Amino acid sequence: MIKEYIQFAFSTIVHQRKRRSFLTILGIFIGIAAVVALISVSQGLKDAVSSQFELIGADVITIMPGKFGAGGMTGFGARPLTDTDVEIVENIRGVGTVAPILVRTAKVTFSGEEKYTYVMGIPADKAEDVLLSMEGIKVIEGRLTTKSDKYGAIIGYSIADDFFEKDVHVGDKLEISGKEFKVRGRISKIGNRQDDSQIYIHMSTAREIFNTSEISVIILKVEQGADVERVAEKIKEELKDKHGEEDFSVMTSSQLASIVQNILGIIQLVIVGIAGISLLVGGVGIMNTMYTSVQERTRQIGIMKAVGATNSDILTIFLVESGLLGLVGGVIGCVIGIVLAFGVQFGAEILGYSMLKASVPLWLIAFALGFSFVLGMLSGTLPARHAARMNPVDALRYE
Amino acid sequence: MPNDTHASHDEVIIRLDNVKKTYMLGKIPVQALRGITMKVHRGEFIAIMGPSGSGKSTLMNILGALDVPTSGKVWFEGKDISKFSESELARFRGKKVGFVFQQFNLFPVMSALENVALPMIFQDVPEKQRLARAKQLLTTLGLGKRLHHKPSELSGGEQQRVAMARAFANNPDVILADEPTGNLDSKTGKQIMTFLKNLHMEEHKTIIVVTHDPIIAGYAETIVNIRDGQIVHDHILARKHLWPKNRRTGEQ
Ligand SMILES: Nc1ncnc2c1ncn2[C@@H]1O[C@H](COP(=O)(O)OP(=O)(O)O)[C@@H](O)[C@H]1O
Ligand SMILES: [Mg+2]
């Protein structure tokens, strides 16, 4: 029976109401496309974020000025970290290597071409700890700077061939904030454009050229065997004692990751909300179309009843039809959503964020299709009931 | 007619007992049937005649289990169908009754074959059997070469023959035709009536035709005249008679 009803529904949707059917499912497929694209992209984004933090390693603690938490980032304008803070942290039990880092945007000139990028000052003896601690990152050209390389620089992967008009090679000269530096080495690809176009110099040199004694961020490694969370708590306590207030943030990489995940989650929620509204509109559209369809086919309903269709036969026929309308919307929505997701991935790649990979889980497609069918049926319930309850004699008299 | 003597040995297939039907036009009641008592015997060919608005279609719909009376009783094969629920009525008429309408009432998007197979869907007949039977019916009605045509690609006479094939689909006991020739020229109308007549003669189906046209009514054995929702006169057409007595009222 159901097979025949599906055939009925198809022939009506395809033959009788092509145009209107298409308009009806617009709402559905925009909603479904939005959900599918969003979840696929943000799934990829989450994966990318986690893998970035995995790269850093679980035993790394980051200290930043300002309070960074549920209220968002308030680091700008907050009291900067100082050398005293570094000393305090270094003396805490369980803390291994501590690397204070100065980050600034600076004008970088190479063979007459001027560009701005991030320059990181890293203590001369900590370059290895900071740069090569990330998994899979290594020096692919030249070498790391040594104490004697006061004006030596290490370049991020993309600076070499994707930043200036001309390629930058080890041994070339760069100007950073007016001072000449010699490129000593190049590190491998991290996976996002910002990180890959950074330049690393000595902390002391950076302080000199940027004329500051500030520290932008302190990165430290916890000693083997020590409890990362406990060490982080201890750091927090001691710095709070010193500062008199908590005007800094201490974060383990897993906390850092979860904050980013939370922000992503909020964005997801907002877009799902918007998609929900669109689906609701789609549902109302289907209901409206089904009412019109029932009205237009009043006479046909009369005929079907005259030849033996029961109320529940008629109900099923119209429910299947509206469910199918929803499903068609869902299929189109999934296709557009997937295309959109991979479009975003492609766009991100062009912008240098090659770590973003859209991932379309199978459950998402199954859910989207099931949902759109059910949504279609639900939207069609009232019109279908109206059709089922028609009096056959009146329906046959309908002009 | 109320003085039923039961002289007939023939089976009564439909019996109406003081059937009244009142429609509400807004707040105004319209009495379409004002107390009809009649019998239809199995294998009878009846024509219902009367002026427009006299209640012919209403009567036919009640005879065909498409509608229930406001008051009075309807027995169909001994069952009191005036008490049936909507679903019971639908299943019942799907099996027992075939309707032919003046406006053909075919599904425009379906082929002739699909239209004829439609009533069998609601009786859960498997697809193969449905199509085989529909094809056979259409062939019998001279439409073997029109199986896959849409109604819009057929002439009026052909469309009405498709509608007749559809009415026969579930091999019903009773065929009800409401002005089946009303939209056809007289030649095509005669053709349709000949098909009905043959069905009556060969398969002994009970046939009830509503018509204005005395020539069409002439195909029937019995004519029931109704006026203002009441039977005013019935008339036996002796020359068309297959059986020697008026089996409807049981009179000799
Ligand atoms: N569904 C209905 N609602 C209201 N009035 C109706 C309805 N069906 C029939 N009538 C009225 O009942 C009377 C009989 O109608 P009908 O049985 O169609 O007559 P006929 O078929 O003899 O022309 C008419 O006055 C008609 O207007
Ligand atoms: Mg009529």
Side-chain angles (χ1 to χ4, degrees):
Chain A
M1 282 300 262
I2 282 295
K3 186 183 144 221
E4 282 80 13
Y5 293 164
I6 292 173
Q7 283 171 353
F8 274 174
F10 253 122
S11 79
T12 347
I13 292 172
V14 175
H15 296 300
Q16 270 175 300
R17 302 188 292 124
K18 244 181 242 170
R19 233 172 102 99
R20 187 165 348 113
S21 299
F22 180 76
L23 288 176
T24 302
I25 58 182
L26 202 68
I28 300 280
F29 84 61
I30 289 174
I32 294 286
V35 171
V36 169
L38 168 85
I39 294 183
S40 305
V41 168
S42 63
Q43 199 63 41
L45 213 54
K46 277 188 174 176
D47 293 348
V49 169
S50 339
S51 67
Q52 281 282 294
F53 285 108
E54 266 165 35
L55 221 65
I56 296 170
D59 57 349
V60 173
I61 293 176
T62 311
I63 308 167
M64 285 179 285
K67 195 96 190 82
F68 182 85
M73 194 148 64
T74 54
F76 302 107
R79 188 166 99 183
L81 298 165
T82 61
D83 289 338
T84 327
D85 295 329
V86 177
E87 268 168 47
I88 293 171
V89 171
E90 271 174 336
N91 289 324
I92 290 170
R93 242 171 60 126
V95 171
T97 325
V98 180
I101 291 168
L102 176 64
V103 185
R104 283 287 186 277
T105 344
K107 186 168 81 184
V108 182
T109 317
F110 177 65
S111 65
E113 193 186 351
E114 285 181 3
K115 285 208 131 178
Y116 284 84
T117 191
Y118 283 106
V119 174
M120 285 177 96
I122 302 170
D125 55 341
K126 303 272 169 59
E128 190 172 346
D129 293 305
V130 175
L131 291 178
L132 305 188
S133 67
M134 288 187 280
E135 288 227 20
I137 302 299
K138 51 186 186 290
V139 179
I140 51 168
E141 272 174 55
R143 56 168 174 83
L144 290 179
T145 47
T146 61
K147 277 215 167 87
S148 56
D149 292 316
K150 188 171 183 210
Y151 291 103
I154 300 160
I155 55 173
Y157 184 83
S158 314
I159 295 277
D161 51 15
D162 200 20
F163 195 71
F164 294 106
E165 287 291 318
K166 285 189 182 161
D167 287 0
V168 182
H169 299 285
V170 171
D172 285 350
K173 298 222 159 97
L174 284 173
E175 222 173 70
I176 302 172
S177 272
K179 275 270 187 294
E180 200 176 81
F181 284 76
K182 193 163 191 176
V183 176
R184 290 297 182 196
R186 175 194 186 193
I187 55 170
S188 57
K189 199 169 187 165
I190 299 171
N192 70 78
R193 192 175 186 86
Q194 187 185 312
D195 285 350
D196 282 332
S197 43
Q198 286 180 145
I199 298 172
Y200 310 90
I201 61 175
H202 284 174
M203 180 71 168
S204 50
T205 318
R207 281 180 153 180
E208 240 176 73
I209 63 171
F210 298 127
N211 190 25
T212 179
S213 59
E214 278 178 22
I215 291 166
S216 309
V217 60
I218 300 170
I219 295 173
L220 63 96
K221 253 196 156 122
V222 173
E223 277 177 347
Q224 206 152 35
D227 182 333
V228 181
E229 299 299 326
R230 200 170 296 163
V231 171
E233 271 312 306
K234 188 80 185 137
I235 293 169
K236 209 182 268 181
E237 269 169 39
E238 303 250 331
L239 286 181
K240 207 167 150 188
D241 273 0
K242 180 72 180 37
H243 289 207
E245 57 171 327
E246 206 179 314
D247 56 354
F248 57 88
S249 309
V250 178
M251 259 171 297
T252 61
S253 15
S254 68
Q255 283 172 332
L256 216 54
S258 76
I259 285 173
V260 178
Q261 304 282 25
N262 284 346
I263 294 171
L264 282 179
I266 291 167
I267 297 172
Q268 268 183 17
L269 224 81
V270 169
I271 301 189
V272 165
I274 294 169
I277 293 169
S278 161
L279 288 173
L280 194 74
V281 171
V284 172
I286 287 194
M287 180 153 80
N288 186 52
T289 299
M290 289 308 295
Y291 264 123
T292 320
S293 172
V294 166
Q295 200 69 28
E296 280 173 357
R297 286 189 284 159
T298 298
R299 216 189 166 86
Q300 296 187 4
I301 293 164
I303 298 167
M304 286 195 278
K305 287 195 159 188
V307 302
T310 59
N311 290 8
S312 63
D313 289 331
I314 304 287
L315 186 79
T316 315
I317 287 171
F318 281 94
L319 280 185
V320 167
E321 183 178 321
S322 63
L324 224 54
L325 264 180
L327 187 63
V328 172
V331 170
I332 299 177
C334 280
V335 171
I336 292 181
I338 292 168
V339 168
L340 225 61
F342 285 100
V344 168
Q345 175 186 323
F346 186 67
E349 235 162 65
I350 288 176
L351 294 173
Y353 292 91
S354 58
M355 64 190 176
L356 176 62
K357 295 264 178 276
S359 87
V360 187
L362 209 63
W363 64 260
L364 178 63
I365 299 304
F367 172 80
L369 295 183
F371 180 84
S372 46
F373 184 75
V374 170
L375 178 69
M377 287 228 295
L378 286 179
S379 313
T381 306
L382 288 177
R385 275 221 319 233
H386 174 65
R389 288 176 181 176
M390 275 182 186
N391 173 295
V393 174
D394 291 338
L396 281 168
R397 281 165 60 99
Y398 184 85
E399 292 304 324
Chain B
M1 287 137 286
N3 57 330
D4 182 1
T5 55
H6 273 288
S8 167
H9 59 274
D10 293 312
E11 185 196 347
V12 173
I13 187 161
I14 310 170
R15 185 153 73 91
L16 303 193
D17 186 8
N18 198 22
V19 161
K20 293 181 181 164
K21 182 74 185 180
T22 309
Y23 292 111
M24 294 304 291
L25 264 181
K27 285 203 163 64
I28 310 152
V30 180
Q31 285 201 294
L33 298 179
R34 301 163 184 263
I36 301 261
T37 299
M38 69 182 283
K39 285 176 184 167
V40 177
H41 292 83
R42 190 179 289 282
E44 206 172 9
F45 192 152
I46 299 177
I48 298 173
M49 292 192 78
S52 178
S54 56
K56 304 184 295 292
S57 297
T58 306
L59 175 59
M60 215 195 71
N61 292 336
I62 288 174
L63 286 169
L66 195 60
D67 208 352
V68 286
T70 313
S71 71
K73 292 219 174 297
V74 181
W75 282 274
F76 198 119
E77 291 187 341
K79 293 187 190 73
D80 181 3
I81 64 169
S82 45
K83 293 281 181 299
F84 272 23
S85 73
E86 283 182 39
S87 310
E88 286 173 316
L89 221 50
R91 290 266 175 253
F92 188 80
R93 69 173 162 264
K95 272 198 279 289
K96 301 284 180 187
V97 185
F99 286 96
V100 179
F101 304 95
Q102 179 175 355
Q103 306 85 342
F104 319 138
N105 281 343
L106 298 173
F107 275 65
V109 292
M110 292 185 185
S111 66
L113 199 67
E114 288 165 334
N115 265 291
V116 176
L118 180 70
M120 293 183 263
I121 290 178
F122 302 116
Q123 301 299 328
D124 295 321
V125 178
E127 184 173 15
K128 241 190 174 147
Q129 270 167 263
R130 285 203 304 266
L131 295 180
R133 169 133 178 100
K135 191 174 169 186
Q136 174 228 318
L137 284 167
L138 284 166
T139 309
T140 311
L141 282 158
L143 292 170
K145 293 208 159 52
R146 297 277 188 276
L147 299 179
H148 301 291
H149 286 55
K150 297 271 159 67
S152 57
E153 297 156 357
L154 298 171
S155 71
E158 286 171 328
Q159 287 185 58
Q160 194 60 305
R161 275 185 278 159
V162 174
M164 287 213 294
R166 181 179 65 189
F168 307 153
N170 288 326
N171 196 22
D173 297 316
V174 180
I175 298 285
L176 291 166
D178 194 347
E179 319 229 15
T181 60
N183 280 2
L184 303 173
D185 59 62
S186 59
K187 184 168 156 274
T188 320
K190 275 181 193 158
Q191 216 181 4
I192 294 292
M193 290 313 293
T194 308
F195 276 118
L196 280 178
K197 188 73 199 171
N198 288 343
L199 190 76
H200 173 238
M201 304 280 269
E202 285 156 23
E203 299 194 28
H204 308 294
K205 295 285 181 200
T206 311
I207 297 181
I208 303 170
V209 178
V210 166
T211 184
H212 271 107
D213 184 347
I215 298 174
I216 297 299
Y219 285 83
E221 307 162 330
T222 312
I223 294 178
V224 175
N225 279 299
I226 88 166
R227 197 155 305 211
D228 291 332
Q230 283 177 307
I231 295 179
V232 289
H233 172 65
D234 56 31
H235 176 72
I236 306 152
L237 297 165
R239 64 189 167 87
K240 300 286 176 190
H241 234 225
L242 291 170
W243 293 279
K245 57 193 171 190
N246 181 349
R247 293 161 305 111
R248 190 173 55 73
T249 59
E251 283 160 19
Q252 290 292 324

